[in-house]
Amino acid sequence: MFVVEWNQQRKHLSSALDVERLLDELHAVFLQTDPTLVTVELSESGDSLAIGLGRERSVLNFVSGNKNPPYFTSKGEIDIDEGVAFRFAEDWSEFPMRNSVPTPVAREAIRHFCDRGGLTESIKWEQD
């Protein structure tokens, strides 16, 4: 079971395929509106992985089920001064570009998270 949250909306989904379909729909919407952070939580463990949707590049942020540090954020290959922003609830959250990865890579990380739990080793992670 999965809980997907964005913009004060919440959906309970029973399969990773359902999560994938919802993220496809949300990405298409957020490409036309505001790029937004969407949180996918594993109901069993409470672990969550947020993904920025609505841009060519995304940011991922992991929080364990106990909500205690350490937290982890994706680390991409670009290290420039500009940032990338996503709406989170009512506010904008800006991340350094170094934390962004191509959105298809981020989506693969979400698939791994939903199928196996934990963080994929195909992305570098930095501890917050």
Side-chain angles (χ1 to χ4, degrees):
M1 188 81 160
F2 306 91
V3 179
V4 181
E5 293 184 82
W6 73 100
N7 294 340
Q8 296 152 352
Q9 295 186 56
R10 174 185 285 199
K11 283 204 176 186
H12 295 267
L13 302 171
S14 58
S15 74
L17 184 57
D18 290 339
V19 171
E20 189 74 18
R21 287 180 185 140
L22 178 59
L23 295 181
D24 286 344
E25 291 171 20
L26 292 174
H27 183 63
V29 168
F30 299 147
L31 280 168
Q32 303 301 315
T33 59
D34 290 334
T36 300
L37 282 173
V38 176
T39 302
V40 177
E41 179 180 303
L42 303 178
S43 297
E44 189 173 304
S45 66
D47 291 351
S48 66
L49 187 60
I51 180 173
L53 297 175
R55 295 192 181 279
E56 291 182 18
R57 296 190 66 82
S58 182
V59 173
L60 295 156
N61 185 264
F62 174 83
V63 176
S64 69
N66 64 20
K67 309 299 184 229
N68 294 322
Y71 311 117
F72 294 93
T73 302
S74 52
K75 184 169 187 217
E77 71 287 355
I78 297 176
D79 194 12
I80 58 175
D81 289 336
E82 80 180 63
V84 59
F86 296 93
R87 185 170 293 286
F88 183 69
E90 298 295 318
D91 299 313
W92 285 94
S93 293
E94 187 166 347
F95 299 89
M97 190 59 77
R98 76 173 182 275
N99 292 119
S100 72
V101 296
T103 298
V105 172
R107 290 292 302 275
E108 182 56 40
I110 288 284
R111 280 189 285 283
H112 178 279
F113 179 74
C114 290
D115 290 342
R116 298 179 203 108
L119 300 175
T120 180
E121 293 181 9
S122 66
I123 292 178
K124 294 181 183 177
W125 299 92
E126 90 182 6
Q127 189 171 319
D128 297 338

